[in-house]
């Protein structure tokens, strides 16, 4: 095959995390090019519909089991239907059991190769029954689509990031040597979207170099055109592009053919997905991928009526597929390099409803599986199974652990620095006013100390592509909030030069009419003032004329470029192309 990587990117309109400069300058020194000694993979199993994880992970202490039975008279698991795990407790010492439909995962929990994070959910800051009305709560709680998004993205101070946390992570780690995107999924997701591209779509049968070619009718028509490539020189050149893609496809298939399906993994809907994941993990060296992320999914969890039979059946399929996948990796000595985890829209209500089902809740329990999992216990605190009890808001459990803490733990294991974790998950920054106890949960080993506290950095000079004589760039850094830089137009750049190279953590600015307008600003950074890497796109809150904090995470930076794109003035549309900065501060180390 004579198709170069650059030609393939142009031909297939394929953009992955490997095709552009990293999103941030904070990546560790190791790149994503495959080094077998450092290879790692994450596998997300998303349970669409809102898994009733409190009938998956069940209290096994006498008092709370009694509460559980009383809250769920129509759907609770009897003592004969649960599997106790000797010595397996949450962080408060409460005994935990597993649904009897999951005996293989129970065995892996007993062996310390699997664990559960209990009462975990979408949080913006630590939340309890006592402070529920005083803290920020995630928007759209109980909405399937919005909470699926919230689990797969992260909170960026005033809204969810436009990109998935795994997609941003892979951009921070990308090397540019990968043959094809290391982000692969069997279904649509938000988890792996990023600034430079999304995931590569795969199926249990294989993967396609161009996703439209997965549709047989399109694939067949393209092949007919290629078989009769007798048109003009332009037409021949155009079709040759498709031929290159198909040649690339053949090469990918040849790579996969070296690794046949593992028949020990069930041939179920879910099992077939895991069979393909195993083959792609085995292909990682040939694909030059030192890190891979996979998105696997199964639905059927939105059970508002007659829940038990349906739910137990899906849990049995998960048990068989997950455990066989782990054993298969273990047989090939790959289990230490792969961590598999579940996510779902939300947990279900504490009490069952009148239709022998459950409704949309908040807190949930998730399973983590892998050779480097620190098992033997559950992570987090299992709640008191009482409606409107100490751990509940009405009929919903208030999460005691953030879904972002769970995600950050896996990002840290994958190779991100603390600073990079803070970039993706600003809500976990230990310097926040109402900070979480830790960024990480510890189920994948030890974590490092938080970074040094940022300080205000000295600015050597400022400039702008447009300005007014009486509102110069220097007025934005003179320490006087009554003066300001202003300019009219879109795409105007405002550049700051620091006195020395620094590691950035935050940029703050204030703007005139910032209490009624939202301003639109893109942030990019550079070490030499010539080559800039984009970091983020900011929409200011529109609620204050004071300093607004914008977390950024970039190392070895000398220049910061703010591209200003006007505002949304709600009163006078003729003013929307105006930009201004009253004061700007840069913080870091």
């Amino acid at each position: 095959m004579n198709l170069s990587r650059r030609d393939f990117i142009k031909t297939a309109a394929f953009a992955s995390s490997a095709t552009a400069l990293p999103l941030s300058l904070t990546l560790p020194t190791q790149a994503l090019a495959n080094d077998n000694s450092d290879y790692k993979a994450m596998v997300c199993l998303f349970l669409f519909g809102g898994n009733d994880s409190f009938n998956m992970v069940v209290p096994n202490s006498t008092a709370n089991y009694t509460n559980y039975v009383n809250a769920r008279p129509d759907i609770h698991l009897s003592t004969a239907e649960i599997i106790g795990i000797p010595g397996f407790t949450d962080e408060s010492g409460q005994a935990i059991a597993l649904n009897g439909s999951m005996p293989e995962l129970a065995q892996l929990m007993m062996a310390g190769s699997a664990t559960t994070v209990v009462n975990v959910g979408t949080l913006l800051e630590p939340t309890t029954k006592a402070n529920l009305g005083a803290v920020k709560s995630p928007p759209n709680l109980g909405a399937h689509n919005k909470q699926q998004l919230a689990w797969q993205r992260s909170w960026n101070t005033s809204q969810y990031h436009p990109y998935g946390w795994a997609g941003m992570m892979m951009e921070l780690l990308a090397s540019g040597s990968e043959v094809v995107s290391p982000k692969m999924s069997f279904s649509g997701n938000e988890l792996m979207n990023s600034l430079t591209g999304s995931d590569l779509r795969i199926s249990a049968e294989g993967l396609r170099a161009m996703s439209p070619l997965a549709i047989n009718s399109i694939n067949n028509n393209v092949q007919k055109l290629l078989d009769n490539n007798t048109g003009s020189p332009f037409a021949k050149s155009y079709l040759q592009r498709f031929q290159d893609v198909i040649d690339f496809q053949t090469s990918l298939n040849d790579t996969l053919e070296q690794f046949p399906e593992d028949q020990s993994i069930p041939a179920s809907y879910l099992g077939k997905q895991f069979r393909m994941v195993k083959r792609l993990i085995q292909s990682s060296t040939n694909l030059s991928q030192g890190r891979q992320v996979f998105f696997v999914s199964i639905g059927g969890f939105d059970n508002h009526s007659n829940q038990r039979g349906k739910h137990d059946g899906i849990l049995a399929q998960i048990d068989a597929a997950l455990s066989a996948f782990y054993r298969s990796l273990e047989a090939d000595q790959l289990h230490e390099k792969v961590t598999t985890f579940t996510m779902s829209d939300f947990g279900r209500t504490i009490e069952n409803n009148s239709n022998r089902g459950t409704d949309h809740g908040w807190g949930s329990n998730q399973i983590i599986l892998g050779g480097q999992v620190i098992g033997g216990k559950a992570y987090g605190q299992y709640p008191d199974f009482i409606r409107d009890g100490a751990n509940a808001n009405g009929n919903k459990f208030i999460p005691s652990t953030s879904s972002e803490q769970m995600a950050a733990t896996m990002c840290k294991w994958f190779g991100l620095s603390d600073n990079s974790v803070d970039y993706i998950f600003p809500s976990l920054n230990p310097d926040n006013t109402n900070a979480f106890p830790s960024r990480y949960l510890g189920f994948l080993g030890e974590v490092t100390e938080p970074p040094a506290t940022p300080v205000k950095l000295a600015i050597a000079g400022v400039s702008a592509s447009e300005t007014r004589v009486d509102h110069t760039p220097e007025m934005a850094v003179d320490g006087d909030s009554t003066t300001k830089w202003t300019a009219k137009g879109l795409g105007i750049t405002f550049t700051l030069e620091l006195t020395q190279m620094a590691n950035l953590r935050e940029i703050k600015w204030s703007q005139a009419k910032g209490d009624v307008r939202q301003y639109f600003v893109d942030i990019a950074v550079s070490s030499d003032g010539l080559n800039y890497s984009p970091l983020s796109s900011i929409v200011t809150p529109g609620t204050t004329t004071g300093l607004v904090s914008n977390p950024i995470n970039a190392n070895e930076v000398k220049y910061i470029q703010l591209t200003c794109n006007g505002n949304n003035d709600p009163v006078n549309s003729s003013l929307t192309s105006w930009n201004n900065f009253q004061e700007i501060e840069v913080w870091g180390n």
Side-chain angles (χ1 to χ4, degrees):
M1 183 188 71
N2 60 4
L3 175 65
S4 73
R5 181 173 179 275
R6 177 171 293 180
D7 288 338
F8 170 63
I9 292 168
K10 291 179 179 178
T11 302
F14 168 72
S16 77
S17 58
T19 68
L21 290 173
L23 176 67
S24 171
L25 305 179
T26 60
L27 66 162
T29 54
Q30 77 268 22
L32 263 181
N34 196 348
D35 171 0
N36 278 329
S37 65
D38 189 47
Y39 169 83
K40 290 180 180 179
M42 274 188 209
V43 185
C44 171
L45 169 56
F46 205 96
L47 311 178
F48 281 106
N51 175 33
D52 182 12
S53 51
F54 288 97
N55 255 25
M56 179 178 76
V57 179
V58 183
N60 203 24
S61 64
T62 301
N64 212 20
Y65 178 78
T66 300
N67 294 336
Y68 161 73
V69 171
N70 292 336
R72 297 181 160 204
D74 300 323
I75 65 166
H76 69 269
L77 299 166
S78 69
T79 54
E81 294 175 307
I82 63 176
I83 303 173
I85 305 171
F88 194 82
T89 67
D90 71 356
E91 292 178 354
S92 66
Q94 182 180 173
I96 304 294
L98 209 58
N99 187 301
S101 298
M102 309 184 92
E104 298 299 325
L105 282 173
Q107 286 292 326
L108 290 172
M109 287 187 181
M110 290 180 197
S113 300
T115 188
T116 177
V117 180
V118 294
N119 199 21
V120 56
T122 55
L123 293 173
L124 307 186
E125 52 186 316
T127 303
T128 64
K129 191 178 182 70
N131 73 1
L132 182 61
V135 299
K136 294 180 291 186
S137 293
N140 307 115
L141 287 173
H144 286 291
N145 60 339
K146 298 298 185 182
Q147 290 305 293
Q148 289 165 9
L149 180 150
W151 269 88
Q152 296 174 68
R153 296 186 183 179
S154 56
W155 186 255
N156 188 21
T157 68
S158 62
Q159 60 186 340
Y160 282 102
H161 274 295
Y163 309 117
W165 58 260
M168 290 191 286
M169 173 188 70
M170 294 299 274
E171 280 193 324
L172 292 169
L173 291 170
S175 70
S177 65
E178 300 86 350
V179 175
V180 70
S181 174
K183 304 178 295 182
M184 307 184 195
S185 73
F186 292 82
S187 59
N189 67 88
E190 297 289 340
L191 181 67
M192 294 191 280
N193 287 336
S194 63
L195 179 67
T196 54
S198 57
D199 52 296
L200 179 67
R201 190 61 55 86
I202 57 179
S203 72
E205 286 71 43
L207 66 163
R208 295 284 184 178
M210 284 181 69
S211 56
L213 295 180
I215 302 171
N216 286 333
S217 60
I218 294 177
N219 190 54
N220 293 339
N221 286 332
V222 169
Q223 193 59 57
K224 287 178 183 178
L225 289 170
L226 294 175
D227 291 341
N228 297 280
N229 190 1
T230 59
S232 67
F234 175 82
K236 289 180 180 180
S237 177
Y238 181 80
L239 287 177
Q240 183 60 44
R241 296 282 184 164
F242 282 97
Q243 186 64 60
D244 289 343
V245 173
I246 289 176
D247 289 345
F248 192 90
Q249 175 72 58
T250 301
S251 178
L252 291 176
N253 289 338
D254 289 345
T255 297
L256 279 177
E257 287 303 316
Q258 299 176 45
F259 305 99
E261 281 192 354
D262 191 327
Q263 302 295 321
S264 69
I265 302 174
S268 63
Y269 170 78
L270 190 57
K272 287 183 176 179
Q273 295 181 66
F274 279 108
R275 286 185 179 187
M276 179 54 69
V277 170
K278 170 73 181 302
R279 295 174 73 191
L280 288 163
I281 288 172
Q282 292 173 303
S283 302
S284 61
T285 299
N286 293 4
L287 298 174
S288 298
Q289 295 174 346
R291 295 288 188 274
Q292 292 177 314
V293 180
F294 300 93
F295 188 89
V296 175
S297 67
I298 189 170
F301 291 96
D302 195 22
N303 295 309
H304 292 272
S305 62
N306 301 318
Q307 176 179 299
R308 273 296 306 273
K310 293 181 288 187
H311 188 242
D312 291 352
I314 303 175
L315 293 184
Q317 184 181 161
I318 291 171
D319 181 71
L322 270 183
S323 60
F325 176 63
Y326 178 81
R327 298 296 186 195
S328 174
L329 294 172
E330 188 177 43
D332 289 337
Q333 297 184 324
L334 291 168
H335 61 299
E336 296 265 343
K337 300 176 181 296
V338 182
T339 297
T340 304
F341 59 97
T342 64
M343 298 196 302
S344 191
D345 318 17
F346 35 64
R348 311 294 290 192
T349 47
I350 300 168
E351 296 180 345
N352 65 246
N353 61 30
S354 59
N355 294 316
R356 305 174 70 88
T358 51
D359 301 317
H360 300 177
W362 190 1
S364 65
N365 308 312
Q366 305 299 336
I367 289 174
I368 316 287
L369 175 67
Q372 291 197 11
V373 165
I374 309 300
K377 67 175 184 178
Y379 289 80
Q381 296 189 346
Y382 201 96
D384 293 337
F385 227 106
I386 301 172
R387 181 183 181 124
D388 210 27
N391 310 116
N393 179 31
N395 202 19
K396 299 179 180 181
F397 288 122
I398 302 169
S400 53
T401 298
S402 168
S403 59
E404 295 186 18
Q405 289 175 289
M406 178 177 141
T409 304
M410 290 181 287
C411 289
K412 179 67 175 177
W413 171 75
F414 225 49
L416 289 190
S417 65
D418 292 329
N419 294 334
S420 296
V421 168
D422 285 343
Y423 173 77
I424 297 176
F425 305 102
S427 69
L428 301 183
N429 192 306
D431 292 331
N432 290 343
T433 302
N434 182 22
F436 287 95
S438 172
R439 299 181 184 87
Y440 313 113
L441 302 179
F443 57 77
L444 285 170
E446 295 297 321
V447 296
T448 59
E449 292 298 315
T453 301
V455 298
K456 187 176 177 181
L457 302 175
I459 296 171
V462 292
S463 61
S465 59
E466 298 285 344
T467 190
R468 295 172 65 193
V469 174
D470 53 346
H471 290 160
T472 63
E474 290 76 16
M475 292 180 176
V477 293
D478 61 2
D480 183 355
S481 61
T482 64
T483 64
K484 60 181 180 290
W485 163 81
T486 62
K488 185 177 183 180
L490 303 181
I492 293 175
T493 58
F494 187 102
T495 304
L496 301 102
E497 179 184 358
L498 303 177
T499 56
Q500 60 186 6
M501 208 78 77
N503 300 330
L504 307 188
R505 300 297 168 257
E506 181 181 27
I507 183 168
K508 305 177 184 180
W509 64 65
S510 60
Q511 291 167 298
K513 296 192 176 180
D515 55 342
V516 293
R517 294 175 178 170
Q518 290 179 296
Y519 289 86
F520 310 107
V521 182
D522 298 328
I523 303 176
V525 295
S526 172
S527 60
D528 59 12
L530 299 174
N531 301 296
Y532 283 87
S533 297
L535 284 185
S536 57
S537 295
I538 303 296
V539 180
T540 61
T543 57
T544 180
T545 57
L547 287 170
V548 174
S549 172
N550 300 286
I552 56 176
N553 207 33
N555 287 351
E556 299 299 308
V557 172
K558 185 76 181 295
Y559 299 88
I560 305 165
Q561 190 171 84
L562 306 175
T563 300
C564 304
N565 295 299
N567 65 82
N568 67 346
D569 193 294
V571 178
N572 191 340
S573 60
S574 67
L575 301 178
T576 57
S577 58
W578 279 100
N579 309 279
N580 72 77
F581 291 119
Q582 294 179 146
E583 282 300 309
I584 300 177
E585 296 179 0
V586 182
W587 291 70
N589 307 108

